[in-house]
Amino acid sequence: MVDAIWAEALQRLRGTLSEQHFETWVAPLRAVAWNGAEVQLEVPNGFFRDWVKRYHLRAIEDAVRQVAGATAAVRLEVNRALDRPTTTPRPTSARPRAKRVEPAPPPGDPRYTFDTFVVGESNQVAHDAARAVAERPGTRFNPLFLYGGVGLGKTHLLKAVTCAAAAARGADKVLCLSAENFVNELIDALKRERMDAFRRRFRRIETLIVDDIQFLGGKVRSQEEFTHTFNALHGGGRQIILASDRAPHELPGIEDALRSRFASGLLVDVRPPDPALRLALVRRKALALWEAPEEAVIVFLADHWCENGRQLEGAIARVDAFATLSGRPVTIALAREALRAFTPVRTGRPTLDRIVGEVCLAFKVTRAEITSRRRTARVALPRQVAMYLCRRHTDVPLHTIGAGLGGRDHSTVVHGLAAIEGRLRDDGGLRAQVASLEARLTA
Ligand code: ADP
Ligand code: MG
């Protein structure tokens, strides 16, 4: 009985969750019992249970209720027997510590730790995932792939993992570098015929962290070498953490084999800060600098200068310099004056590709679905929303929008735009959803 209920519930969950979430969090669950009121599911460990509870329990309950009745409940139990890492870690061939003359400098930067990272709705998942791999490297979330726009804290999180992992397991077990450094070191090693040393360096660590992986785009030789490094580490049960400015399937110039490795673990997006996080971020950064800033200064910065952490830090630095130079206290008048000459930097207009990606995420449909011939409401609505957002936020002509959404012709796009504009007038929920998408796209 429990098998039948769960099989049916799984079918439904496949339709409501993204494939990535489904495969990572739902597929590993085991349904073990049904007592007429409650389905008991087994999870591999406590972390997994907490994660599912926090992010997916509602969807699971909904699916179970549709199958087993409106009052059915779901219980999650840990069964450690399920908790086998995907691969068994090999012990690293650690050099005896006594031999070391000087201790290696700590690889982390104390300014960028989990303690100094401000958590909100838009980065909670990324933060939790980063913490999880810092604590338990090389198990389930491998690789962890973080992606999102500039200044949203990806590098900060990578450095926080580096600090935490170095503190827990030794600085020589963690290596954090940018993809650009990887490429430069590779070129250098090739030139000096020191590839063995290059490879050895990467293969003795437990956690490899590579920032701005999009830099590998178009660099065939580097991708080849990175693939070897990746395979050697991953195959040996070591942890890999990557950050990128976009999702694997949107990265230009990356070989398919590498792209699919990027996407084979846990993919997490970091989104622009929501209003609550903006306020919290401004507070944290302003209080580190100023003793008692006016509340109006905080609100002003949060409203206008906090599309991301980098923009905020720039604005605060300008206000601070202005106050110091003029010998005046930091007031709202001063902050406005200091920033008047600067228009907030825009990170550029969104592309059709990015709009489609964001819409897919927001509506929980895949790219394959949104560009398919299918016309069910579940995919037709997000498709029309994507048309609408492309129309409003890009200069892309209608026929190109249609082409990008599965080869639809000009008149289909015109029709879709008319339909969505009508729905937006009548449907407040949809309006709110589109507004939040627009905020994200223009951040
Ligand atoms: P990214 O790598 O995503 O472009 P960074 O990690 O370099 O962004 O962040 C830019 C700046 O903003 C850094 O100084 C970082 O500390 C700060 N920042 C961004 N998000 C947060 C956050 N949630 N909490 C604290 N600082 C943040
Ligand atoms: Mg960065």
Side-chain angles (χ1 to χ4, degrees):
M1 180 67 179
V2 66
D3 290 338
I5 293 175
W6 186 236
E8 181 65 33
L10 281 177
Q11 281 297 334
R12 287 163 198 266
L13 284 162
R14 251 190 211 287
T16 51
L17 295 176
S18 77
E19 194 186 328
Q20 173 69 28
H21 285 159
F22 182 87
E23 290 301 330
T24 311
W25 301 108
V26 178
L29 299 174
R30 260 205 355 212
V32 288
W34 161 251
N35 64 8
E38 191 178 69
V39 172
Q40 186 181 330
L41 299 174
E42 286 185 345
V43 296
N45 56 55
F47 167 74
F48 203 104
R49 180 195 54 210
D50 295 346
W51 188 293
V52 170
K53 239 189 201 158
R54 181 187 239 145
Y55 297 109
H56 303 299
L57 189 58
R58 184 150 329 144
I60 294 173
E61 280 174 344
D62 284 348
V64 165
R65 284 180 190 147
Q66 285 169 20
V67 184
T71 58
V74 171
R75 190 150 56 100
L76 299 171
E77 296 260 312
V78 173
N79 175 359
R80 297 236 168 254
L82 302 177
D83 195 11
R84 258 177 248 114
T86 39
T87 39
T88 343
R90 262 183 287 144
T92 40
S93 53
R95 275 172 293 143
R97 273 174 186 273
K99 265 197 187 165
R100 277 233 306 273
V101 200
E102 264 180 281
D109 182 329
R111 280 174 304 167
Y112 304 110
T113 62
F114 285 119
D115 287 341
T116 59
F117 190 81
V118 186
V119 184
E121 212 180 295
S122 55
N123 60 19
Q124 174 93 54
V125 182
H127 168 269
D128 291 358
R131 268 219 125 107
V133 294
E135 280 159 26
R136 298 164 50 90
T139 52
R140 235 162 234 288
F141 316 111
N142 203 8
L144 169 62
F145 191 100
L146 301 178
Y147 67 95
V150 66
L152 299 180
K154 300 181 298 296
T155 299
H156 188 135
L157 281 176
L158 296 188
K159 289 180 173 169
V161 174
T162 309
C163 277
R169 273 175 304 278
D172 55 342
K173 296 291 194 300
V174 199
L175 179 58
C176 176
L177 79 175
S178 64
E180 185 169 3
N181 280 344
F182 179 89
V183 171
N184 290 339
E185 289 185 23
L186 173 64
I187 292 171
D188 192 55
L190 286 168
K191 216 166 29 198
R192 300 203 283 146
E193 300 189 346
R194 301 201 37 171
M195 280 308 291
D196 277 356
F198 177 86
R199 294 197 171 124
R200 262 203 311 279
R201 167 156 178 246
F202 286 99
R203 308 216 171 139
R204 65 178 167 70
I205 50 177
E206 282 177 359
T207 302
L208 174 65
I209 302 175
V210 185
D211 201 358
D212 293 317
I213 199 75
Q214 71 274 2
F215 187 79
L216 293 184
K219 303 188 174 60
V220 178
R221 178 69 185 89
S222 299
Q223 287 182 40
E224 200 180 296
E225 188 58 33
F226 188 75
T227 306
H228 288 314
T229 308
F230 187 105
N231 290 347
L233 289 168
H234 195 265
R238 319 294 173 70
Q239 179 69 47
I240 296 167
I241 309 170
L242 307 169
S244 161
D245 66 351
R246 63 197 86 176
H249 64 273
E250 292 179 331
L251 281 172
I254 297 284
E255 302 285 316
D256 283 346
L258 192 52
R259 194 191 300 281
S260 67
R261 281 181 179 78
F262 288 168
S264 65
L266 181 59
L267 285 180
V268 181
D269 68 331
V270 190
R271 296 191 308 270
D274 51 275
L277 179 57
R278 283 170 168 240
L279 273 174
L281 262 173
V282 176
R283 264 209 184 93
R284 174 76 70 96
K285 306 264 174 199
L287 286 175
L289 213 54
W290 306 320
E291 224 160 87
E294 281 181 5
E295 183 62 16
V297 174
I298 306 276
V299 174
F300 168 69
L301 289 171
D303 279 351
H304 302 287
W305 294 90
C306 194
E307 280 169 6
N308 62 62
R310 192 159 302 156
Q311 185 193 50
L312 174 65
E313 287 172 353
I316 288 183
R318 276 187 214 127
V319 173
D320 191 57
F322 201 81
T324 310
L325 292 175
S326 63
R328 290 159 51 195
V330 176
T331 59
I332 178 68
L334 176 122
R336 282 185 193 283
E337 207 179 322
L339 294 170
R340 186 163 300 140
F342 305 91
T343 10
V345 238
R346 291 264 158 202
T347 35
R349 305 184 77 185
T351 59
L352 186 151
D353 201 49
R354 168 137 185 262
I355 290 175
V356 173
E358 292 284 353
V359 169
C360 285
L361 279 175
F363 285 85
K364 297 197 170 68
V365 295
T366 65
R367 248 170 213 274
E369 286 172 324
I370 211 169
T371 55
S372 71
R373 305 310 308 166
R374 235 176 291 166
R375 289 207 246 149
T376 51
R378 199 176 80 78
V379 291
L381 176 64
R383 192 180 290 138
Q384 289 172 352
V385 168
M387 290 175 183
Y388 173 81
L389 292 172
C390 288
R391 185 70 183 150
R392 272 173 61 97
H393 295 281
T394 72
D395 300 324
V396 175
L398 293 185
H399 63 89
T400 312
I401 295 176
L405 286 163
R408 296 184 149 71
D409 60 18
H410 178 272
S411 66
T412 309
V413 180
V414 172
H415 171 80
L417 288 171
I420 194 70
E421 276 162 19
R423 286 197 61 162
L424 281 171
R425 270 192 301 276
D426 304 336
D427 183 343
L430 182 64
R431 258 201 317 278
Q433 204 172 4
V434 169
S436 95
L437 265 166
E438 290 192 300
R440 198 197 287 193
L441 285 165
T442 53

